[in-house]
Amino acid sequence: MRSSAASDVYKRQALNEHKVRIPQDMSIISFDDNLYLDYLNPPITRIAQSLENIGIIAVKMLMQKILEETELHSEILLKPNIINRDSIKVLTDRK
C-alpha cells in the first residue's frame, strides 16, 4: 500500500493515541523514500528504489520495442537500498 505524507502522519497519531510505541511495540518500514520520514519521531526505516535507474531501464525497453518492433517479455530485478533509521526493533535469538 502506498500512502501519502498526510496519511502517514494520521497513522502515527492513531498509534500514539493507542499508546503503541515504535519500535518497542511495533516496527515500521516504508517502501516510500520520502525525506519527511527522517523528521518523524522516531525516523522511519525505508526501502528505496532508484527512480533514475527505473526510468533509464524503462526508456531502453521502450526504445527496443520501437526499433525492433518485438514483444518484450522481461523480468528485471533491481536491488533496493535499505535506509536504516530508528523504527525497527532488533530481534535477538533467545535460545
Side-chain angles (χ1 to χ4, degrees):
M1 177 173 92
R2 189 175 190 291
S3 59
S4 67
S7 68
D8 286 345
V9 171
Y10 175 77
K11 291 172 194 171
R12 287 299 314 270
Q13 288 174 342
L15 290 173
N16 288 340
E17 287 174 10
H18 292 283
K19 298 187 180 359
V20 176
R21 300 169 304 155
I22 299 169
Q24 296 88 346
D25 301 323
M26 178 185 288
S27 293
I28 295 179
I29 300 176
S30 174
F31 283 89
D32 194 1
D33 188 22
N34 280 317
L35 292 178
Y36 79 88
L37 295 169
D38 284 341
Y39 298 100
L40 296 176
N41 186 16
I44 304 298
T45 297
R46 57 195 183 268
I47 298 175
Q49 290 280 359
S50 170
L51 296 180
E52 182 179 350
N53 287 346
I54 292 170
I56 289 169
I57 291 168
V59 169
K60 285 181 180 178
M61 290 176 70
L62 179 61
M63 292 304 296
Q64 180 183 357
K65 180 166 177 53
I66 291 170
L67 296 174
E68 296 177 14
E69 296 182 2
T70 60
E71 287 293 320
L72 294 178
H73 301 285
S74 299
E75 182 176 309
I76 298 171
L77 300 175
L78 300 175
K79 184 176 179 179
N81 182 29
I82 298 175
I83 302 168
N84 287 310
R85 295 295 184 258
D86 299 328
S87 66
I88 56 173
K89 180 178 182 178
V90 178
L91 300 177
T92 57
D93 191 2
R94 296 184 182 187
K95 288 184 182 178

